[in-house]
Amino acid sequence: MNAAYQTGMAEDHVDRILAQWTRERPDLDIGPMGLLGRLARLSTYLGREVEKTFSQFGLSSASFDVLAALRRSGPPYRLSPGDLLATTMITSGTMTNRIDQLEKAGLVERLTHPEDRRSVLIALKPEGLALVERTVTAHVANQHRLTALLEPDERAALDRIIRKYLAAFE
């Protein structure tokens, strides 16, 4: 009897894969495969939905990450490239490319650091601030839509579990 039937939940794509592996390799404990497979598939679906929202504003998740980091920093919305790097998991070359693209779009600017003329700060321009304000409002509404499938207590429990799991890697 498969796990979906036992729990009264509908069978999903991962259940079918697990059933195949159970048939072909009954000697393996494939329990973690189900959890990780579902997390991966869910991440893909959620990522697509998030990207749809960003694309409505002419952004990608990558460009939004930079604008949002600058916005979260508070007035005057300026960070060093190193501080921007610390908020992401990308290389400095990738960050430079993102900043270049946002600068070309007129959303950010490079300013000479007032305390070290050899350094620069990346600053939100008024157009960038206005865009990130509109985008984050839509993004949060989209996140509410995407999590509305769960009851508040389920969201809280899932958040606790994922926080614990993620902390082990970070």
Side-chain angles (χ1 to χ4, degrees):
M1 189 177 293
N2 86 21
Y5 180 79
Q6 290 173 340
T7 62
M9 299 181 76
E11 184 176 61
D12 65 14
H13 181 75
V14 175
D15 285 320
R16 292 186 288 280
I17 292 170
L18 296 175
Q20 291 169 334
W21 278 118
T22 299
R23 181 188 70 233
E24 296 299 317
R25 289 294 307 270
D27 58 308
L28 294 177
D29 174 6
I30 57 167
M33 187 184 292
L35 172 64
L36 297 177
R38 285 185 179 93
L39 286 172
R41 289 179 64 81
L42 184 59
S43 178
T44 299
Y45 286 124
L46 294 173
R48 287 179 192 153
E49 292 298 314
V50 167
E51 286 295 336
K52 284 180 194 176
T53 298
F54 293 148
S55 69
Q56 293 171 358
F57 296 90
L59 298 173
S60 65
S61 60
S63 56
F64 176 78
D65 281 348
V66 174
L67 296 175
L70 290 167
R71 173 60 182 92
R72 289 190 315 265
S73 72
Y77 312 115
R78 297 176 183 164
L79 291 172
S80 71
D83 288 338
L84 277 172
L85 269 175
T87 69
T88 61
M89 294 189 301
I90 60 172
T91 65
S92 61
T94 300
M95 179 58 75
T96 297
N97 184 46
R98 287 183 187 177
I99 293 167
D100 288 346
Q101 296 303 315
L102 291 168
E103 190 173 36
K104 285 178 192 171
L107 302 174
V108 302
E109 62 185 335
R110 287 177 168 91
L111 303 173
T112 302
H113 196 296
E115 297 166 15
D116 181 0
R117 298 195 55 81
R118 295 169 295 158
S119 300
V120 298
L121 292 173
I122 309 305
L124 268 179
K125 291 180 76 175
E127 299 85 348
L129 178 59
L131 179 60
V132 75
E133 289 294 327
R134 291 190 311 272
T135 307
V136 74
T137 299
H139 179 50
V140 169
N142 188 42
Q143 290 173 326
H144 280 275
R145 179 185 68 84
L146 293 171
T147 59
L149 297 167
L150 300 172
E151 296 296 326
D153 61 326
E154 292 172 321
R155 283 193 304 269
L158 183 58
D159 188 54
R160 278 191 307 275
I161 292 166
I162 292 174
R163 178 183 288 119
K164 176 182 177 182
Y165 195 25
L166 183 58
F169 293 92
E170 292 185 340

PDB file of all heavy atoms in Angstrom, residues 27-55:
ATOM      1  N   ASP A  27      15.492  -2.956  -1.771  1.00  0.00           N
ATOM      2  CA  ASP A  27      16.529  -2.981  -0.740  1.00  0.00           C
ATOM      3  C   ASP A  27      16.911  -1.583  -0.250  1.00  0.00           C
ATOM      4  O   ASP A  27      17.573  -1.448   0.769  1.00  0.00           O
ATOM      5  CB  ASP A  27      17.781  -3.681  -1.272  1.00  0.00           C
ATOM      6  CG  ASP A  27      18.330  -3.016  -2.528  1.00  0.00           C
ATOM      7  OD1 ASP A  27      17.540  -2.818  -3.495  1.00  0.00           O
ATOM      8  OD2 ASP A  27      19.538  -2.697  -2.566  1.00  0.00           O
ATOM      9  N   LEU A  28      16.481  -0.518  -0.971  1.00  0.00           N
ATOM     10  CA  LEU A  28      16.857   0.848  -0.608  1.00  0.00           C
ATOM     11  C   LEU A  28      15.783   1.524   0.234  1.00  0.00           C
ATOM     12  O   LEU A  28      14.592   1.375  -0.051  1.00  0.00           O
ATOM     13  CB  LEU A  28      17.087   1.688  -1.868  1.00  0.00           C
ATOM     14  CG  LEU A  28      18.256   1.313  -2.755  1.00  0.00           C
ATOM     15  CD1 LEU A  28      18.271   2.205  -3.998  1.00  0.00           C
ATOM     16  CD2 LEU A  28      19.568   1.420  -2.001  1.00  0.00           C
ATOM     17  N   ASP A  29      16.205   2.276   1.233  1.00  0.00           N
ATOM     18  CA  ASP A  29      15.295   3.136   2.002  1.00  0.00           C
ATOM     19  C   ASP A  29      15.210   4.457   1.238  1.00  0.00           C
ATOM     20  O   ASP A  29      16.114   5.289   1.315  1.00  0.00           O
ATOM     21  CB  ASP A  29      15.836   3.362   3.409  1.00  0.00           C
ATOM     22  CG  ASP A  29      15.007   4.369   4.209  1.00  0.00           C
ATOM     23  OD1 ASP A  29      13.936   4.804   3.711  1.00  0.00           O
ATOM     24  OD2 ASP A  29      15.451   4.744   5.305  1.00  0.00           O
ATOM     25  N   ILE A  30      14.123   4.650   0.518  1.00  0.00           N
ATOM     26  CA  ILE A  30      13.994   5.827  -0.348  1.00  0.00           C
ATOM     27  C   ILE A  30      13.154   6.936   0.281  1.00  0.00           C
ATOM     28  O   ILE A  30      12.783   7.896  -0.388  1.00  0.00           O
ATOM     29  CB  ILE A  30      13.408   5.438  -1.722  1.00  0.00           C
ATOM     30  CG1 ILE A  30      12.057   4.755  -1.534  1.00  0.00           C
ATOM     31  CG2 ILE A  30      14.394   4.553  -2.492  1.00  0.00           C
ATOM     32  CD1 ILE A  30      11.272   4.615  -2.808  1.00  0.00           C
ATOM     33  N   GLY A  31      12.905   6.852   1.566  1.00  0.00           N
ATOM     34  CA  GLY A  31      12.129   7.889   2.248  1.00  0.00           C
ATOM     35  C   GLY A  31      12.652   9.294   2.010  1.00  0.00           C
ATOM     36  O   GLY A  31      11.888  10.192   1.641  1.00  0.00           O
ATOM     37  N   PRO A  32      13.967   9.538   2.180  1.00  0.00           N
ATOM     38  CA  PRO A  32      14.485  10.890   1.936  1.00  0.00           C
ATOM     39  C   PRO A  32      14.289  11.354   0.496  1.00  0.00           C
ATOM     40  O   PRO A  32      14.164  12.547   0.237  1.00  0.00           O
ATOM     41  CB  PRO A  32      15.974  10.759   2.273  1.00  0.00           C
ATOM     42  CG  PRO A  32      16.036   9.633   3.255  1.00  0.00           C
ATOM     43  CD  PRO A  32      14.979   8.666   2.791  1.00  0.00           C
ATOM     44  N   MET A  33      14.250  10.417  -0.448  1.00  0.00           N
ATOM     45  CA  MET A  33      14.043  10.790  -1.842  1.00  0.00           C
ATOM     46  C   MET A  33      12.702  11.487  -2.021  1.00  0.00           C
ATOM     47  O   MET A  33      12.581  12.442  -2.794  1.00  0.00           O
ATOM     48  CB  MET A  33      14.110   9.546  -2.741  1.00  0.00           C
ATOM     49  CG  MET A  33      14.078   9.853  -4.223  1.00  0.00           C
ATOM     50  SD  MET A  33      14.048   8.367  -5.263  1.00  0.00           S
ATOM     51  CE  MET A  33      15.669   7.685  -4.958  1.00  0.00           C
ATOM     52  N   GLY A  34      11.702  11.042  -1.300  1.00  0.00           N
ATOM     53  CA  GLY A  34      10.381  11.664  -1.389  1.00  0.00           C
ATOM     54  C   GLY A  34      10.402  13.088  -0.866  1.00  0.00           C
ATOM     55  O   GLY A  34       9.908  14.014  -1.519  1.00  0.00           O
ATOM     56  N   LEU A  35      10.974  13.270   0.308  1.00  0.00           N
ATOM     57  CA  LEU A  35      11.046  14.608   0.909  1.00  0.00           C
ATOM     58  C   LEU A  35      11.831  15.568   0.023  1.00  0.00           C
ATOM     59  O   LEU A  35      11.360  16.661  -0.309  1.00  0.00           O
ATOM     60  CB  LEU A  35      11.696  14.528   2.297  1.00  0.00           C
ATOM     61  CG  LEU A  35      12.008  15.869   2.959  1.00  0.00           C
ATOM     62  CD1 LEU A  35      10.731  16.644   3.236  1.00  0.00           C
ATOM     63  CD2 LEU A  35      12.801  15.649   4.233  1.00  0.00           C
ATOM     64  N   LEU A  36      13.031  15.164  -0.380  1.00  0.00           N
ATOM     65  CA  LEU A  36      13.875  16.049  -1.180  1.00  0.00           C
ATOM     66  C   LEU A  36      13.293  16.270  -2.571  1.00  0.00           C
ATOM     67  O   LEU A  36      13.381  17.380  -3.111  1.00  0.00           O
ATOM     68  CB  LEU A  36      15.298  15.502  -1.248  1.00  0.00           C
ATOM     69  CG  LEU A  36      16.020  15.430   0.099  1.00  0.00           C
ATOM     70  CD1 LEU A  36      17.391  14.806  -0.057  1.00  0.00           C
ATOM     71  CD2 LEU A  36      16.104  16.790   0.762  1.00  0.00           C
ATOM     72  N   GLY A  37      12.688  15.255  -3.137  1.00  0.00           N
ATOM     73  CA  GLY A  37      12.049  15.413  -4.444  1.00  0.00           C
ATOM     74  C   GLY A  37      10.895  16.397  -4.387  1.00  0.00           C
ATOM     75  O   GLY A  37      10.739  17.246  -5.273  1.00  0.00           O
ATOM     76  N   ARG A  38      10.096  16.302  -3.350  1.00  0.00           N
ATOM     77  CA  ARG A  38       8.974  17.240  -3.202  1.00  0.00           C
ATOM     78  C   ARG A  38       9.469  18.670  -2.956  1.00  0.00           C
ATOM     79  O   ARG A  38       8.917  19.626  -3.495  1.00  0.00           O
ATOM     80  CB  ARG A  38       8.051  16.784  -2.083  1.00  0.00           C
ATOM     81  CG  ARG A  38       7.208  15.606  -2.478  1.00  0.00           C
ATOM     82  CD  ARG A  38       6.181  15.215  -1.414  1.00  0.00           C
ATOM     83  NE  ARG A  38       5.421  14.101  -1.917  1.00  0.00           N
ATOM     84  CZ  ARG A  38       5.725  12.811  -1.684  1.00  0.00           C
ATOM     85  NH1 ARG A  38       6.757  12.494  -0.912  1.00  0.00           N
ATOM     86  NH2 ARG A  38       4.981  11.860  -2.196  1.00  0.00           N
ATOM     87  N   LEU A  39      10.500  18.811  -2.132  1.00  0.00           N
ATOM     88  CA  LEU A  39      11.053  20.145  -1.906  1.00  0.00           C
ATOM     89  C   LEU A  39      11.575  20.736  -3.213  1.00  0.00           C
ATOM     90  O   LEU A  39      11.353  21.920  -3.499  1.00  0.00           O
ATOM     91  CB  LEU A  39      12.168  20.108  -0.857  1.00  0.00           C
ATOM     92  CG  LEU A  39      11.734  19.932   0.592  1.00  0.00           C
ATOM     93  CD1 LEU A  39      12.953  19.712   1.488  1.00  0.00           C
ATOM     94  CD2 LEU A  39      10.920  21.118   1.068  1.00  0.00           C
ATOM     95  N   ALA A  40      12.265  19.940  -3.999  1.00  0.00           N
ATOM     96  CA  ALA A  40      12.810  20.423  -5.268  1.00  0.00           C
ATOM     97  C   ALA A  40      11.694  20.817  -6.234  1.00  0.00           C
ATOM     98  O   ALA A  40      11.752  21.875  -6.869  1.00  0.00           O
ATOM     99  CB  ALA A  40      13.709  19.365  -5.901  1.00  0.00           C
ATOM    100  N   ARG A  41      10.687  19.976  -6.351  1.00  0.00           N
ATOM    101  CA  ARG A  41       9.575  20.286  -7.269  1.00  0.00           C
ATOM    102  C   ARG A  41       8.814  21.523  -6.792  1.00  0.00           C
ATOM    103  O   ARG A  41       8.453  22.384  -7.590  1.00  0.00           O
ATOM    104  CB  ARG A  41       8.641  19.083  -7.397  1.00  0.00           C
ATOM    105  CG  ARG A  41       9.262  17.936  -8.189  1.00  0.00           C
ATOM    106  CD  ARG A  41       8.337  16.729  -8.288  1.00  0.00           C
ATOM    107  NE  ARG A  41       7.111  17.009  -9.014  1.00  0.00           N
ATOM    108  CZ  ARG A  41       6.985  17.024 -10.336  1.00  0.00           C
ATOM    109  NH1 ARG A  41       8.042  16.798 -11.107  1.00  0.00           N
ATOM    110  NH2 ARG A  41       5.820  17.258 -10.905  1.00  0.00           N
ATOM    111  N   LEU A  42       8.588  21.619  -5.494  1.00  0.00           N
ATOM    112  CA  LEU A  42       7.892  22.780  -4.954  1.00  0.00           C
ATOM    113  C   LEU A  42       8.698  24.053  -5.191  1.00  0.00           C
ATOM    114  O   LEU A  42       8.151  25.087  -5.582  1.00  0.00           O
ATOM    115  CB  LEU A  42       7.611  22.582  -3.462  1.00  0.00           C
ATOM    116  CG  LEU A  42       6.806  23.673  -2.772  1.00  0.00           C
ATOM    117  CD1 LEU A  42       5.435  23.851  -3.431  1.00  0.00           C
ATOM    118  CD2 LEU A  42       6.644  23.345  -1.295  1.00  0.00           C
ATOM    119  N   SER A  43      10.005  23.973  -4.991  1.00  0.00           N
ATOM    120  CA  SER A  43      10.866  25.127  -5.229  1.00  0.00           C
ATOM    121  C   SER A  43      10.767  25.585  -6.685  1.00  0.00           C
ATOM    122  O   SER A  43      10.718  26.789  -6.965  1.00  0.00           O
ATOM    123  CB  SER A  43      12.309  24.781  -4.873  1.00  0.00           C
ATOM    124  OG  SER A  43      13.151  25.871  -5.140  1.00  0.00           O
ATOM    125  N   THR A  44      10.723  24.646  -7.607  1.00  0.00           N
ATOM    126  CA  THR A  44      10.594  24.985  -9.027  1.00  0.00           C
ATOM    127  C   THR A  44       9.273  25.685  -9.297  1.00  0.00           C
ATOM    128  O   THR A  44       9.242  26.740  -9.955  1.00  0.00           O
ATOM    129  CB  THR A  44      10.719  23.722  -9.893  1.00  0.00           C
ATOM    130  OG1 THR A  44      12.015  23.149  -9.682  1.00  0.00           O
ATOM    131  CG2 THR A  44      10.528  24.038 -11.369  1.00  0.00           C
ATOM    132  N   TYR A  45       8.174  25.125  -8.801  1.00  0.00           N
ATOM    133  CA  TYR A  45       6.856  25.741  -9.014  1.00  0.00           C
ATOM    134  C   TYR A  45       6.787  27.137  -8.399  1.00  0.00           C
ATOM    135  O   TYR A  45       6.328  28.089  -9.029  1.00  0.00           O
ATOM    136  CB  TYR A  45       5.738  24.877  -8.421  1.00  0.00           C
ATOM    137  CG  TYR A  45       5.439  23.633  -9.217  1.00  0.00           C
ATOM    138  CD1 TYR A  45       5.501  22.379  -8.616  1.00  0.00           C
ATOM    139  CD2 TYR A  45       5.084  23.698 -10.556  1.00  0.00           C
ATOM    140  CE1 TYR A  45       5.226  21.228  -9.336  1.00  0.00           C
ATOM    141  CE2 TYR A  45       4.806  22.541 -11.272  1.00  0.00           C
ATOM    142  CZ  TYR A  45       4.879  21.317 -10.667  1.00  0.00           C
ATOM    143  OH  TYR A  45       4.598  20.182 -11.381  1.00  0.00           O
ATOM    144  N   LEU A  46       7.252  27.259  -7.159  1.00  0.00           N
ATOM    145  CA  LEU A  46       7.203  28.558  -6.487  1.00  0.00           C
ATOM    146  C   LEU A  46       8.100  29.572  -7.184  1.00  0.00           C
ATOM    147  O   LEU A  46       7.730  30.741  -7.344  1.00  0.00           O
ATOM    148  CB  LEU A  46       7.597  28.416  -5.016  1.00  0.00           C
ATOM    149  CG  LEU A  46       6.627  27.607  -4.146  1.00  0.00           C
ATOM    150  CD1 LEU A  46       7.212  27.403  -2.758  1.00  0.00           C
ATOM    151  CD2 LEU A  46       5.264  28.248  -4.083  1.00  0.00           C
ATOM    152  N   GLY A  47       9.274  29.131  -7.621  1.00  0.00           N
ATOM    153  CA  GLY A  47      10.186  30.016  -8.335  1.00  0.00           C
ATOM    154  C   GLY A  47       9.564  30.583  -9.599  1.00  0.00           C
ATOM    155  O   GLY A  47       9.712  31.772  -9.907  1.00  0.00           O
ATOM    156  N   ARG A  48       8.846  29.748 -10.326  1.00  0.00           N
ATOM    157  CA  ARG A  48       8.164  30.220 -11.546  1.00  0.00           C
ATOM    158  C   ARG A  48       7.125  31.277 -11.218  1.00  0.00           C
ATOM    159  O   ARG A  48       6.997  32.280 -11.930  1.00  0.00           O
ATOM    160  CB  ARG A  48       7.484  29.048 -12.255  1.00  0.00           C
ATOM    161  CG  ARG A  48       8.419  28.115 -12.953  1.00  0.00           C
ATOM    162  CD  ARG A  48       7.658  26.983 -13.608  1.00  0.00           C
ATOM    163  NE  ARG A  48       8.576  25.953 -14.037  1.00  0.00           N
ATOM    164  CZ  ARG A  48       8.261  24.675 -14.163  1.00  0.00           C
ATOM    165  NH1 ARG A  48       7.032  24.265 -13.894  1.00  0.00           N
ATOM    166  NH2 ARG A  48       9.154  23.798 -14.564  1.00  0.00           N
ATOM    167  N   GLU A  49       6.375  31.063 -10.153  1.00  0.00           N
ATOM    168  CA  GLU A  49       5.340  32.022  -9.768  1.00  0.00           C
ATOM    169  C   GLU A  49       5.946  33.344  -9.310  1.00  0.00           C
ATOM    170  O   GLU A  49       5.414  34.409  -9.602  1.00  0.00           O
ATOM    171  CB  GLU A  49       4.447  31.429  -8.672  1.00  0.00           C
ATOM    172  CG  GLU A  49       3.591  30.266  -9.139  1.00  0.00           C
ATOM    173  CD  GLU A  49       2.613  30.649 -10.229  1.00  0.00           C
ATOM    174  OE1 GLU A  49       1.933  31.699 -10.099  1.00  0.00           O
ATOM    175  OE2 GLU A  49       2.535  29.915 -11.230  1.00  0.00           O
ATOM    176  N   VAL A  50       7.044  33.279  -8.604  1.00  0.00           N
ATOM    177  CA  VAL A  50       7.726  34.488  -8.151  1.00  0.00           C
ATOM    178  C   VAL A  50       8.276  35.256  -9.351  1.00  0.00           C
ATOM    179  O   VAL A  50       8.136  36.477  -9.451  1.00  0.00           O
ATOM    180  CB  VAL A  50       8.833  34.138  -7.132  1.00  0.00           C
ATOM    181  CG1 VAL A  50       9.758  35.308  -6.883  1.00  0.00           C
ATOM    182  CG2 VAL A  50       8.207  33.657  -5.820  1.00  0.00           C
ATOM    183  N   GLU A  51       8.898  34.532 -10.287  1.00  0.00           N
ATOM    184  CA  GLU A  51       9.457  35.182 -11.486  1.00  0.00           C
ATOM    185  C   GLU A  51       8.371  35.882 -12.301  1.00  0.00           C
ATOM    186  O   GLU A  51       8.616  36.936 -12.881  1.00  0.00           O
ATOM    187  CB  GLU A  51      10.219  34.181 -12.353  1.00  0.00           C
ATOM    188  CG  GLU A  51      11.555  33.762 -11.794  1.00  0.00           C
ATOM    189  CD  GLU A  51      12.593  34.872 -11.706  1.00  0.00           C
ATOM    190  OE1 GLU A  51      12.517  35.881 -12.441  1.00  0.00           O
ATOM    191  OE2 GLU A  51      13.506  34.723 -10.873  1.00  0.00           O
ATOM    192  N   LYS A  52       7.169  35.294 -12.353  1.00  0.00           N
ATOM    193  CA  LYS A  52       6.066  35.943 -13.088  1.00  0.00           C
ATOM    194  C   LYS A  52       5.776  37.327 -12.517  1.00  0.00           C
ATOM    195  O   LYS A  52       5.561  38.283 -13.263  1.00  0.00           O
ATOM    196  CB  LYS A  52       4.795  35.095 -13.010  1.00  0.00           C
ATOM    197  CG  LYS A  52       4.783  33.889 -13.889  1.00  0.00           C
ATOM    198  CD  LYS A  52       3.462  33.149 -13.703  1.00  0.00           C
ATOM    199  CE  LYS A  52       3.498  31.772 -14.293  1.00  0.00           C
ATOM    200  NZ  LYS A  52       2.235  31.027 -14.031  1.00  0.00           N
ATOM    201  N   THR A  53       5.760  37.417 -11.208  1.00  0.00           N
ATOM    202  CA  THR A  53       5.500  38.716 -10.574  1.00  0.00           C
ATOM    203  C   THR A  53       6.614  39.703 -10.901  1.00  0.00           C
ATOM    204  O   THR A  53       6.350  40.841 -11.290  1.00  0.00           O
ATOM    205  CB  THR A  53       5.348  38.559  -9.052  1.00  0.00           C
ATOM    206  OG1 THR A  53       4.217  37.726  -8.792  1.00  0.00           O
ATOM    207  CG2 THR A  53       5.156  39.899  -8.366  1.00  0.00           C
ATOM    208  N   PHE A  54       7.864  39.278 -10.767  1.00  0.00           N
ATOM    209  CA  PHE A  54       8.974  40.183 -11.054  1.00  0.00           C
ATOM    210  C   PHE A  54       8.967  40.630 -12.513  1.00  0.00           C
ATOM    211  O   PHE A  54       9.240  41.792 -12.815  1.00  0.00           O
ATOM    212  CB  PHE A  54      10.312  39.531 -10.714  1.00  0.00           C
ATOM    213  CG  PHE A  54      10.521  39.285  -9.245  1.00  0.00           C
ATOM    214  CD1 PHE A  54      11.270  38.208  -8.815  1.00  0.00           C
ATOM    215  CD2 PHE A  54       9.981  40.123  -8.288  1.00  0.00           C
ATOM    216  CE1 PHE A  54      11.474  37.969  -7.464  1.00  0.00           C
ATOM    217  CE2 PHE A  54      10.171  39.906  -6.928  1.00  0.00           C
ATOM    218  CZ  PHE A  54      10.930  38.824  -6.526  1.00  0.00           C
ATOM    219  N   SER A  55       8.646  39.708 -13.415  1.00  0.00           N
ATOM    220  CA  SER A  55       8.671  40.061 -14.841  1.00  0.00           C
ATOM    221  C   SER A  55       7.615  41.112 -15.182  1.00  0.00           C
ATOM    222  O   SER A  55       7.795  41.881 -16.126  1.00  0.00           O
ATOM    223  CB  SER A  55       8.509  38.816 -15.717  1.00  0.00           C
ATOM    224  OG  SER A  55       7.212  38.291 -15.610  1.00  0.00           O
TER     225      SER A  55
END
